[in-house]
Amino acid sequence: MNTVIGVPARPRPAAAATQATLREHNLSLVARIVLGAPTAMSRADVAVATALTRSTVSRLVDDLLAGGLVREVAKVGGGLGRPATPVVADDRLCALGLQVNATFLLARLVALDGTVVAEEAVDGDFVGSDPAAVLPLMGACGARVLATAGADRILVGTGLALPGIVRPGTGTLLRAPNLGWSAVEPVPLLATPDLGPVQLSNEADSAAVTVAQPVPGRPDGPQDFIYLSGEIGIGGAAVLGGRVMRGQHGWAGEIGHVCVDADGPACPCGSRGCLERYAGLRALQTAAGLPATAGIDQFAEACRAGDEAAVRALETALGALETALVSAVNLLDIPAVVLGGHLGRLGALIAPDLAGRLGSRVLAGRFGGPTVTVDEHVEDRAPAATGAAISVLEGVIDRPAAWIDGGGRPGR
């Protein structure tokens, strides 16, 4: 848009609201009020919370009931007048979350009320693997989970979380360095027709969704934070206002590939001295002299026992994390860091020290930030599977009319 010097350009007029867009907005509003409530709400409660008329709310709730987003529960109230009929999330509506990791595949079916209905994991070594061999295994795993869930479940769609760079809107995985995959279109390779529409995402982005919003429609977690996770390497995400920041190409938040030493070791991403070369699990194992089969708990035990190599590796990792996070926090002005994956499991050893280092170096440090905490889902090895499913369900909550008017069928 051109601007004449001294004369501000006129803003583009907002698109006029239509009856359809107004209904879409109100349906989403009512759905979020009902799903986000800690206890069941009556239609009258929803009317008060939304400032909509009772008759409007009643029509909208009827639509949500017909679409399977909410259900009525037993009536309450025994006094004068008609007893209220509360509505809650309908747990028949589900999404499937699939996660491909370097050491396992996991499929998890998540209901609209946040309940994990069923799941299955397949362990293996998928480093340097063939996507044409691995992804059919992932699809078959998902199909088995759906088969065990029961005929009354309604599948909205599937989210597939991958540990690599995903190009939004194209269904293309550009690169997953630790898997050895490049330029892959994963969805056709799943070779399973019953998964509904499949939504591709980055593994760390999906795990961060689980932190910010552990239940669909209910943003109970932190809303502004940097998330770090990983297994072999380090994944990351930046969350602002409860939404994962994607960036123009969908690559935002890749803190594992922030350079902390320009003369450092080569990274599979093509750069040198990346954070994950110092703080990734494989880097910690190697520096501590531990075998590749050693888990992060074994490394932590070596640190607690005073093993010199392990302690030195931990100190190197802390320095690299400090360098990367100081830049990220100052650039984005984010008040919190959440540690997940293997870094979360090291939380007791690194979180207090890391918080102190950041507090002394970032601009916000003298004003009380940032905090460093451990993801409460750190014992769940596949939070990205949950986050991928929640993101699919969030799409229905954002645009319930598309689901309802399509007869409750995926892809409509």
Side-chain angles (χ1 to χ4, degrees):
M1 183 184 299
N2 295 325
T3 304
V4 179
I5 296 176
V7 180
R10 293 181 179 178
R12 296 181 185 273
T18 65
Q19 284 295 110
T21 58
L22 183 61
R23 174 173 174 265
E24 181 80 86
H25 172 272
N26 287 341
L27 277 169
S28 181
L29 174 63
V30 170
R32 288 195 178 278
I33 290 294
V34 171
L35 301 180
T39 58
M41 299 181 72
S42 69
R43 298 180 193 221
D45 295 331
V46 175
V48 171
T50 60
L52 297 171
T53 66
R54 290 196 180 191
S55 60
T56 297
V57 166
S58 186
R59 288 195 301 271
L60 294 169
V61 168
D62 285 342
D63 284 346
L64 295 173
L65 285 166
L69 276 79
V70 300
R71 61 182 175 86
E72 295 179 325
V73 294
K75 296 181 179 181
V76 297
L80 296 176
R82 180 180 299 174
T85 304
V87 290
V88 297
D90 193 330
D91 61 2
R92 294 175 302 169
L93 209 64
C94 299
L96 183 66
L98 306 178
Q99 180 175 344
V100 176
N101 190 278
T103 60
F104 66 87
L105 312 175
L106 189 138
R108 177 174 290 161
L109 190 66
V110 180
L112 189 59
D113 66 353
T115 302
V116 175
V117 177
E119 69 174 49
E120 180 184 318
V122 176
D123 293 320
D125 181 1
F126 303 110
V127 176
S129 59
D130 180 359
V134 174
L135 287 167
L137 294 177
M138 182 77 268
C141 182
R144 288 192 297 271
V145 168
L146 290 176
T148 64
D152 63 329
R153 302 291 178 177
I154 303 169
L155 181 68
V156 171
T158 295
L160 172 60
L162 298 171
I165 299 173
V166 172
R167 176 169 286 165
T170 66
T172 302
L173 172 73
L174 296 179
R175 193 170 188 190
N178 291 319
L179 296 179
W181 298 1
S182 296
V184 177
E185 293 188 7
V187 175
L189 294 176
L190 291 173
T192 305
D194 300 326
L195 303 183
V198 180
Q199 178 176 298
L200 203 61
S201 66
N202 170 267
E203 181 183 47
D205 286 352
S206 290
V209 168
T210 309
V211 175
Q213 190 159 293
V215 176
R218 191 180 301 171
D220 288 341
Q223 299 298 286
D224 300 283
F225 61 94
I226 294 172
Y227 181 77
L228 283 82
S229 183
E231 185 170 340
I232 290 179
I234 292 179
V239 178
L240 299 173
R243 299 279 184 175
V244 175
M245 188 171 71
R246 309 288 183 183
Q248 182 177 3
H249 300 97
W251 309 341
E254 287 287 345
I255 196 168
H257 296 288
V258 168
C259 178
V260 297
D261 181 359
D263 297 321
C267 180
C269 76
S271 185
R272 304 189 68 86
C274 292
L275 172 63
E276 72 170 40
R277 297 293 90 192
Y278 303 92
L281 175 57
R282 187 59 55 83
L284 293 173
Q285 291 166 331
T286 301
L290 295 171
T293 55
I296 194 61
D297 292 337
Q298 187 174 341
F299 173 81
E301 185 58 35
C303 290
R304 293 189 184 96
D307 180 88
E308 290 186 9
V311 170
R312 189 164 53 248
L314 185 66
E315 179 62 27
T316 300
L318 269 168
L321 286 165
E322 175 188 355
T323 298
L325 285 168
V326 164
S327 298
V329 169
N330 280 342
L331 182 65
L332 299 175
D333 188 23
I334 290 184
V337 174
V338 178
L339 304 176
H342 74 276
L343 294 175
R345 296 185 71 86
L346 290 175
L349 293 174
I350 66 174
D353 193 353
L354 186 57
R357 295 179 184 217
L358 296 182
S360 67
R361 291 193 57 192
V362 302
L363 293 174
R366 70 187 64 183
F367 306 109
T371 62
V372 179
T373 58
V374 174
D375 178 10
E376 64 180 30
H377 307 95
V378 71
E379 298 300 328
D380 177 6
R381 66 172 177 168
T386 300
I390 288 174
S391 293
V392 172
L393 291 166
E394 275 290 310
V396 176
I397 300 170
D398 279 340
R399 299 185 62 241
W403 173 259
I404 294 166
D405 297 343
R409 292 185 293 274
R412 291 296 297 268

